[in-house]
Amino acid sequence: MKPIEALKSARNTYICHQVNRVRLPDFEENRFVRRHITFHGRVQKVGFRIELAQMAERLELTGWVKNAENGEVIAEVQGFESRIRFLLKFMNSLKRIKIRKMENKPHSIKETETEFRIL
């Protein structure tokens, strides 16, 4: 394994461990929504996508996340609104990630979507 791959693997293992340690609250299930979210700031090369995807899976959310060429991260997240709010607060609380601005827009629900993916 190349040194950079080893570092990424160690980072990803650490991130998965940290996400699994987060205590999830009891959620009041409310509106089912889909959001298109653009994250601005220090959000690439810090494990952002894997952390968001891992937490989205724990929260039983579906959708996707990807890096944009301009340094932003773009995601579409679908599920109960209270769980999406928790996900966004969680991501904003991480110290190695610095979200300067978050654009959060409603989007059409995809009825057949069953998982959360990193693109």
Side-chain angles (χ1 to χ4, degrees):
M1 184 180 294
K2 295 179 183 177
I4 191 74
E5 291 171 354
L7 285 173
K8 285 182 179 181
S9 177
R11 178 199 65 199
N12 294 350
T13 300
Y14 170 78
I15 288 170
C16 293
H17 175 72
Q18 291 299 103
V19 168
N20 288 329
R21 291 183 55 198
V22 173
R23 183 176 159 92
L24 300 180
D26 292 328
F27 292 100
E28 182 178 315
E29 307 301 1
N30 49 9
R31 291 185 325 134
F32 195 82
V33 298
R34 185 176 188 90
R35 300 283 184 212
H36 181 90
I37 307 159
T38 304
F39 299 92
H40 306 266
R42 188 178 66 225
V43 293
Q44 287 193 14
K45 298 184 175 148
V46 291
F48 187 94
R49 291 176 304 149
I50 191 159
E51 193 135 17
L52 188 137
Q54 288 288 312
M55 184 55 78
E57 287 177 10
R58 279 202 64 205
L59 293 167
E60 300 175 348
L61 300 171
T62 63
W64 52 263
V65 62
K66 69 178 183 177
N67 283 340
E69 290 181 17
N70 62 1
E72 299 168 349
V73 171
I74 302 168
E76 282 192 13
V77 184
Q78 180 170 289
F80 288 108
E81 193 170 38
S82 58
R83 292 173 182 255
I84 294 173
R85 275 196 313 267
F86 181 87
L87 173 68
L88 298 180
K89 285 181 185 176
F90 170 76
M91 295 306 294
N92 210 24
S93 74
L94 299 171
K95 300 214 183 315
R96 75 179 176 291
I97 293 168
K98 181 64 176 165
I99 299 171
R100 275 193 345 267
K101 180 176 145 188
M102 201 182 317
E103 296 174 40
N104 183 345
K105 300 176 184 175
H107 204 275
S108 302
I109 291 174
K110 295 188 178 177
E111 301 289 341
T112 59
E113 191 172 65
T114 59
E115 64 184 5
F116 198 92
R117 299 175 297 141
I118 298 174
L119 304 180

